[in-house]
């Protein structure tokens, strides 16, 4: 006999204009402004690697966690896309939700402490529209990222100009969303369809793998994604290298970079720390900085907040790419 399931029809969903937001459009950084002061010699090297990769026709992937959108970096990301420096964006479900809410209402980020106590966390009508966007895109055979970007763009959201997903849809650049079922607020809603989540996100997984299949001489950037970033990249790279081996190709000349807050001493990340070191369980180090470049690639670790590091890298790419 099947186990009893929670009845979502009993949930009270409120309009999002009743939600108190922690972040609004004031955090969005303009590309015409000087980035906040940030100095790291690896920024220069990495900018040159990105330009070199594009000159060779190789892919440049930017994987990001939700906090990158919350930090106001969207305009720099969109310009990197529009000028041809980044060829694929990837994020988790939360990254897509913040992008969607910014585009729709110019605000995002509720207080978890306040609303979990009230039993209202995540239960806002407008956020649940993402489920409708995914259903529409799924019917067209689209992945999750393109489905959400399409919905934002085609429905002319008030702030669609700061949506990375909408810009990717407009410019026909892959922007994939890698969903963990149960991870995101939209999964609480009665209009959420698990089959749609699975199909659209798995479509994005295969789109992502195809980009990684062309990553030889390319660059993989990971901004603040400690789980989805390294784990999805790892599986896609395994798939791509399996096929490349059969076709007498290589995907070993890869430059990777991790941008995060964890202190890592020195410039040699070629070996992951031992299992006795708690930092061993920081997946970006062992996966992105060490294991996946062990056969001929190179890696950089850049410590800093995203509102400083991403604009600094983007500005340097724009300067050197002229």
């Amino acid at each position: 006999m099947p186990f009893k399931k929670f009845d979502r029809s009993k949930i009270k969903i409120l309009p999002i204009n009743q939600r108190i937001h922690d972040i609004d459009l004031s955090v969005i950084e303009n590309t015409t402004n000087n980035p906040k002061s940030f100095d790291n010699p690896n920024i220069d090297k990495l900018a040159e690697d990105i330009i070199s990769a594009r000159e060779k026709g190789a892919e440049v992937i930017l994987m990001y966690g939700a906090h990158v959108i919350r930090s106001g970096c969207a305009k720099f990301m969109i310009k990197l896309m529009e000028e041809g420096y980044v060829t694929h964006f990837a994020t988790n479900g939360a990254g897509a939700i913040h992008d969607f809410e910014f585009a729709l209402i110019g605000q995002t980020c509720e207080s978890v402490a306040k609303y979990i106590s009230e039993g209202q966390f995540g239960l806002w009508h407008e956020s649940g529209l993402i489920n409708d966007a995914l259903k529409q895109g799924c019917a067209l055979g689209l992945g999750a990222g393109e489905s959400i970007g399409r919905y934002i763009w085609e429905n002319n959201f008030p702030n669609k100009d700061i949506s990375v997903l909408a810009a990717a849809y407009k410019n026909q650049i892959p922007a994939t969303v890698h969903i963990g079922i149960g991870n995101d607020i939209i999964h609480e809603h009665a209009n959420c369809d698990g089959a749609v989540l699975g199909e659209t996100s798995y479509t994005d997984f295969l789109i992502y793998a195809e980009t990684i299949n062309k990553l030889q001489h390319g660059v993989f950037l990971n901004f603040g994604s400690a789980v989805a970033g390294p784990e999805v990249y790892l599986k896609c790279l395994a798939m791509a290298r399996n096929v490349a081996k059969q076709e007498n190709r290589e995907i070993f000349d890869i430059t990777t970079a991790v941008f995060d807050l964890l202190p890592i001493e020195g410039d040699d990340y070629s070996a992951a720390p031992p299992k006795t070191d708690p930092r061993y369980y920081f997946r970006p180090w062992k996966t992105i900085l060490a294991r996946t470049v062990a056969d001929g690639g190179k890696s950089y670790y850049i410590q800093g907040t995203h509102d400083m590091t991403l604009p600094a890298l983007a500005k340097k790419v724009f300067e050197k790419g002229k």
Side-chain angles (χ1 to χ4, degrees):
M1 172 175 237
F3 291 110
K4 186 177 180 180
K5 295 188 292 185
F6 186 88
D7 184 358
R8 296 174 297 174
S9 68
K10 296 180 179 180
I11 293 175
K12 182 178 181 180
I13 306 289
L14 297 180
I16 204 167
N17 63 9
Q18 292 186 25
R19 188 174 86 180
I20 298 170
H21 301 90
D22 293 339
I23 297 173
D24 59 27
L25 294 177
S26 65
V27 304
I28 302 296
E29 298 283 351
N30 288 314
T31 58
T32 54
N33 296 340
N34 289 324
K36 296 174 183 176
S37 178
F38 183 80
D39 184 29
N40 186 306
N42 287 334
I43 289 283
D44 279 89
K45 298 174 187 176
L46 186 55
E48 291 170 0
D49 290 334
I50 290 170
I51 293 165
S52 175
R54 296 304 299 132
E55 288 173 347
K56 295 173 183 175
E59 302 285 347
V60 175
I61 300 170
L62 197 161
M63 177 76 182
Y64 59 98
H67 195 71
V68 175
I69 296 298
R70 291 166 52 182
S71 296
C73 297
K75 288 188 177 181
F76 285 95
M77 298 163 75
I78 292 168
K79 188 172 180 180
L80 284 167
M81 174 196 313
E82 292 176 340
E83 297 197 4
Y85 293 113
V86 173
T87 61
H88 189 132
F89 287 87
T91 191
N92 55 16
I97 292 168
H98 289 307
D99 185 287
F100 185 93
E101 291 182 349
F102 259 143
L104 180 61
I105 63 168
Q107 299 179 93
T108 193
C109 194
E110 61 191 294
S111 168
V112 178
K114 172 179 171 60
Y115 290 115
I116 195 62
S117 294
E118 298 177 7
Q120 200 61 47
F121 173 62
L123 297 169
W124 314 100
H125 171 73
E126 288 82 353
S127 301
L129 293 174
I130 296 173
N131 289 319
D132 296 334
L134 292 172
K135 289 175 185 176
Q136 292 178 17
C138 187
L140 298 172
L142 306 181
E146 189 172 6
S147 297
I148 298 169
R150 174 182 177 272
Y151 193 91
I152 294 169
W153 186 260
E154 298 297 337
N155 286 285
N156 199 28
F157 279 21
N159 306 298
K160 66 180 182 180
D161 61 310
I162 61 165
S163 165
V164 174
L165 298 182
Y169 171 75
K170 173 190 174 186
N171 291 283
Q172 289 299 284
I173 298 296
T176 51
V177 177
H178 303 276
I179 296 168
I181 291 179
N183 284 358
D184 303 315
I185 60 171
I186 63 170
H187 306 166
E188 304 173 46
H189 292 237
N191 69 335
C192 181
D193 186 326
V196 168
L197 293 179
E199 184 168 348
T200 55
S201 191
Y202 194 74
T203 293
D204 273 357
F205 175 70
L206 298 180
I207 293 170
Y208 196 44
E210 179 59 23
T211 299
I212 289 176
N213 193 37
K214 298 175 285 186
L215 197 55
Q216 177 73 347
H217 310 309
V219 177
F220 178 81
L221 309 170
N222 185 79
F223 280 86
S225 182
V227 179
E231 291 300 333
V232 178
Y233 164 65
L234 182 67
K235 280 70 172 186
C236 288
L237 184 60
M239 295 161 65
R241 281 180 172 168
N242 181 287
V243 172
K245 184 176 181 180
Q246 296 177 65
E247 296 175 348
N248 295 314
R249 295 186 292 113
E250 291 185 345
I251 311 176
F252 295 134
D253 180 19
I254 305 170
T255 297
T256 65
V258 171
F259 296 76
D260 219 307
L261 298 176
L262 184 74
I264 297 179
E265 296 179 2
D267 294 319
D268 184 9
Y269 330 110
S270 59
K275 291 184 179 180
T276 54
D277 186 331
R279 295 176 301 171
Y280 173 83
Y281 301 96
F282 178 59
R283 289 176 176 86
W285 186 347
K286 63 185 176 184
T287 298
I288 299 172
L289 299 177
R291 292 173 177 171
T292 59
V293 295
D295 299 290
K298 61 181 176 180
S299 61
Y300 304 104
Y301 182 73
I302 298 171
Q303 182 187 359
T305 59
H306 305 311
D307 62 325
M308 298 176 71
T309 60
L310 197 151
L313 175 62
K315 284 276 192 177
K316 192 63 66 174
V317 169
F318 302 147
E319 290 170 8
K320 290 180 177 289
K322 290 181 180 178

